[in-house]
Amino acid sequence: MSGVPWFTKSKYDYFQCVSAMQKCIRLGDEDGALFWATELFLHEAAPHAWSRLVIIASEDVGEVDPLMHLKVTMLRHSWCETPKDQQINGKGRLFFIQAVLMLVHSPKSRKVDHAGIVYCEGERPDREIPDFAKDCHTRNGKELGRGYKHFFDVGARLENEAGQDI
């Protein structure tokens, strides 16, 4: 991993700090998360710490707060736009601290990460294309003579519809 310091200036192993930061965020341990996050941030690993926070926003918060990834990414962008001399020891650190605190206090869900592991790394059995997917927009649906009536009755049906019909 290019550009990663193997040890912080305080002699902590970089990868152990990353692990401790993420586990403390998962556990809602504000003090621990802030300590380990700032250990990385203050000791030449700020860009890597930011990258990890963006991952944590999807991996450990995910669908519970689907905007968390965007919030952390925007704070990271604000940090990147901060003058270099203000990023670590100036006002730029406020964006980093805010991101850590938001992640610590957010409700958590590992569902996104678990789904990624199961569906991308697990065994993938063969499946038949569902009949409802064979509509007027597909070759199979056209061969079956399915038109827009079938599409509106079957293919466009919603099970988790929000709001009212228009």
Side-chain angles (χ1 to χ4, degrees):
M1 187 183 270
S2 177
V4 174
W6 294 104
F7 293 93
T8 66
K9 289 180 182 172
S10 300
K11 306 292 185 231
Y12 291 109
D13 178 282
Y14 166 80
F15 296 101
Q16 292 296 315
C17 285
V18 170
S19 183
M21 174 184 74
Q22 186 160 3
K23 292 350 179 255
C24 288
I25 287 172
R26 283 182 188 159
L27 295 171
D29 175 0
E30 181 180 291
D31 180 62
L34 286 168
F35 179 83
W36 295 113
T38 56
E39 181 66 25
L40 295 167
F41 185 76
L42 294 171
H43 299 289
E44 302 174 13
H48 300 285
W50 269 114
S51 295
R52 199 72 193 143
L53 293 181
V54 171
I55 291 168
I56 291 167
S58 287
E59 192 172 77
D60 295 315
V61 176
E63 68 177 352
V64 176
D65 182 351
L67 295 178
M68 184 60 73
H69 179 268
L70 180 60
K71 294 173 195 176
V72 173
T73 299
M74 291 307 298
L75 287 166
R76 181 185 189 185
H77 175 75
S78 295
W79 179 79
C80 288
E81 293 296 311
T82 302
K84 294 284 185 206
D85 65 330
Q86 292 291 304
Q87 284 183 340
I88 304 298
N89 293 316
K91 294 182 183 198
R93 69 179 173 203
L94 297 175
F95 303 122
F96 184 79
I97 299 297
Q98 182 181 356
V100 172
L101 289 172
M102 285 188 329
L103 290 165
V104 165
H105 295 291
S106 175
K108 310 294 188 296
S109 171
R110 300 276 301 142
K111 189 173 184 178
V112 170
D113 189 46
H114 289 174
I117 292 167
V118 169
Y119 286 93
C120 294
E121 298 176 26
E123 288 188 35
R124 296 188 56 82
D126 290 335
R127 286 191 181 182
E128 294 290 324
I129 299 291
D131 188 63
F132 56 76
K134 299 173 184 175
D135 63 21
C136 60
H137 299 98
T138 68
R139 183 177 61 247
N140 294 112
K142 289 174 185 169
E143 290 170 356
L144 292 168
R146 294 179 173 170
Y148 283 105
K149 178 171 179 8
H150 175 270
F151 173 70
F152 287 114
D153 290 347
V154 179
R157 193 178 86 224
L158 302 174
E159 292 294 331
N160 59 345
E161 185 173 7
Q164 298 179 3
D165 292 341
I166 55 171

